[in-house]
Amino acid sequence: MAARVLSRYLPILKWGRAYDRPTLSNDLMAALIVTIMLIPQSLAYALLAGLPPEAGIYASIVPILLYTLFGTSGALAVGPVAVVSLMTATAVGQVAQQGSMGYATAALTLALLSGAILVFTGLFRLGFIANFLSHPVIAGFITASGLLIAVSQLKSILGVQASGDTMPEVIESIFAHIGQTHVVTLVIGVLATAFLFWVRKGMKGALVRLGLKPGLAGMLAKTGPVLAIIASTLAVWAFDLGAHGVAIVGDVPQALPPLTLPDLSPALLGTLFVPALLISIIGFVESISVAQTFAAKENQRIDPDQELIALGAANIGAAFTGGYPVTGGFARSVVNYDAGARTPAAGAFTAVGLAIAAALLTPLVHYLPKATLAATIIVAVLGLVDFSILKKTWAYSKADFWAVAATILVTLGLGVEAGVSTGVGISILLHLYKTTKPHVAEVGLVPGSQHFRNINRHDVLTDPALLSLRVDESLYFVNAHFLEDQIADRLARGSRVKNVVLMCSAVNSIDYSALESLEAISRRLRTAGIGLHLSEVKGPVMDRLKSTHFLDQMNGKVFLSQYDAWTALAAPECRQRRAAAE
């Protein structure tokens, strides 16, 4: 029993037993490639979060090791990501000045809170909370965030000082300082951006034309951003461009992640709790969607509740080792999977590589221009922008379209926290709206069968004295009175009705408010001399109904199938029409 519980929370005990040499080789190769990719990304995302560049590397070491112990995905690569970095900057910027010790400490506290929330939800199996954010709304939020991040990085490309948390503020600030554009910085930023776009779109094809195999060419193309960093760093160093106004990374501590302590003051915890909750939701949704995508390809299973615990442990680790909130990243996970990673051990090897880089290689990035890091971020986040979601939702569901559009507009106009809060709120309201008016269809018997279908869609047999209604939704307080109104309206149009049958094949639950509505329907029909019957009631629903007096007071029966109800209640001439049709 103890061993089973231990392996439940430490998946490494399961996959570790089957670990072999071929898997080791694949994981080592994936780790090498991801490490090369993560070094510039980690530096860039730390600057996006308003933190020193080394914070990005620190946030990619211990968190990855902890995910290796607790995670269930073989391909998910955990670390800083663009959207969470932007949300971190927005949240922490409200409580401390960027560049101050309090700012870095607040980022640690944010990571600790996010980790605690994730672990709590995982232990108590509350991962369903993330379902309150619908996929179209997530797509809209990520699209808006990608645009906001890309525009916010233009200041580093131009070499100007600009600020703002919303799109109008950022654009206004950039235009106010555009006259101070640093030409050399602009040249570096534009060349780096153009090169990185070419790397993404054309480098693989060029390498294939040179004779490399497509697989190898794709791997090399993933590490293309490192070439931009090497070239721009050498240029700044060779021509001493830092002395001529080009902003550079500067000194980065040459050390392993330090032991850090978050600020646990009640005031700060209270201020950061809501941002931490939003970061946890967005991070988990992004992470679990990526993990499940790769798991499906390998016929593996991802445990969402265990993933919550793993991501929570990773964030708690970041809080005590100089990092900030992390999650599973899409781009690096794709690289990790394509490079051959099949177990979480690839992440552990990546963490070792990053630790070596933090201890030995950080002096090499002293002359790295911030414009190149900005170009790295711009190219990465523009890949997240997907306006096609607006076209798709408009064609399929106008309600979803307006939810996506509102999320995008609020995120751009009011900031990321307001955007994700709006997304969550709209998702919940849409669900409630859709369930307030459940689909209720009047059904009839398909000739020559025992199946019942909507009378407005199919040529079916009906009995004027028998009203059969199929309820296509669970009944609860939001829609309880809607069913009452539907039955009352239908009876007002057909005075010959003697029996009403509620076909409950799609009803998964009935709460107390809905039970009271059913009792009111039963009383009203009894007074009118009309029988109320149920059919195809699911076992758990029937168990709940049997615990009440409703079935005893109901003026009718419960039938195993709708066909049984038809056979018992339909007029003889209607049944004869069925026999003739057969």
Side-chain angles (χ1 to χ4, degrees), residues 233-435:
T233 300
L234 289 175
V236 171
W237 170 74
F239 298 102
D240 196 20
L241 298 180
H244 294 82
V246 174
I248 60 176
V249 170
D251 293 329
V252 177
Q254 190 174 352
L256 293 173
L259 178 63
T260 53
L261 295 175
D263 183 352
L264 300 181
S265 62
L268 183 60
L269 292 175
T271 303
L272 294 179
F273 179 79
V274 172
L277 178 62
L278 298 178
I279 286 174
S280 300
I281 294 174
I282 290 294
F284 173 65
V285 170
E286 178 178 356
S287 178
I288 197 66
S289 61
V290 173
Q292 289 177 337
T293 298
F294 294 122
K297 293 182 179 181
E298 296 298 316
N299 197 27
Q300 296 174 345
R301 179 182 176 274
I302 297 298
D303 183 345
D305 292 313
Q306 184 59 31
E307 284 297 294
L308 283 164
I309 295 173
L311 291 173
N315 277 277
I316 292 172
F320 290 100
T321 54
Y324 67 99
V326 298
T327 192
F330 177 75
R332 72 180 60 133
S333 296
V334 170
V335 174
N336 199 34
Y337 179 81
D338 289 345
R342 292 300 179 268
T343 73
F349 299 140
T350 300
V352 173
L354 290 170
I356 293 173
L360 303 176
L361 304 180
T362 51
L364 299 179
V365 300
H366 177 90
Y367 292 100
L368 173 60
K370 292 184 178 180
T372 301
L373 293 179
T376 301
I377 293 174
I378 290 173
V379 174
V381 299
L382 286 182
L384 303 175
V385 176
D386 178 20
F387 282 111
S388 69
I389 190 66
L390 291 170
K391 180 180 179 180
K392 294 173 183 176
T393 52
W394 177 263
Y396 187 76
S397 169
K398 298 298 187 293
D400 284 333
F401 168 82
W402 289 116
V404 173
T407 301
I408 292 176
L409 292 175
V410 172
T411 301
L412 294 177
L414 299 178
V416 292
E417 286 189 14
V420 70
S421 299
T422 299
V424 172
I426 290 177
S427 295
I428 295 174
L429 289 175
L430 277 177
H431 172 73
L432 293 176
Y433 173 75
K434 292 174 182 177
T435 56

Side-chain angles (χ1 to χ4, degrees), residues 76 101 175 376 415 521:
L76 191 69
M101 182 62 69
F175 273 103
T376 301
I521 293 171

Side-chain angles (χ1 to χ4, degrees), residues 149-184:
I149 292 170
V151 171
S152 70
Q153 293 306 297
L154 291 178
K155 65 180 185 294
S156 297
I157 299 290
L158 297 171
V160 300
Q161 296 294 324
S163 60
D165 295 326
T166 67
M167 184 69 81
E169 291 174 352
V170 173
I171 292 176
E172 180 183 0
S173 181
I174 288 176
F175 273 103
H177 297 87
I178 200 166
Q180 304 168 11
T181 299
H182 191 269
V183 177
V184 178

Side-chain angles (χ1 to χ4, degrees), residues 12 66 70-71 91 182 191 197 215 231 362 460 489 500 508 559:
I12 189 174
L66 289 170
F70 297 102
H182 191 269
L191 290 177
F197 272 118
T362 51
V460 294
D489 291 343
V500 174
N508 295 317
F559 295 94

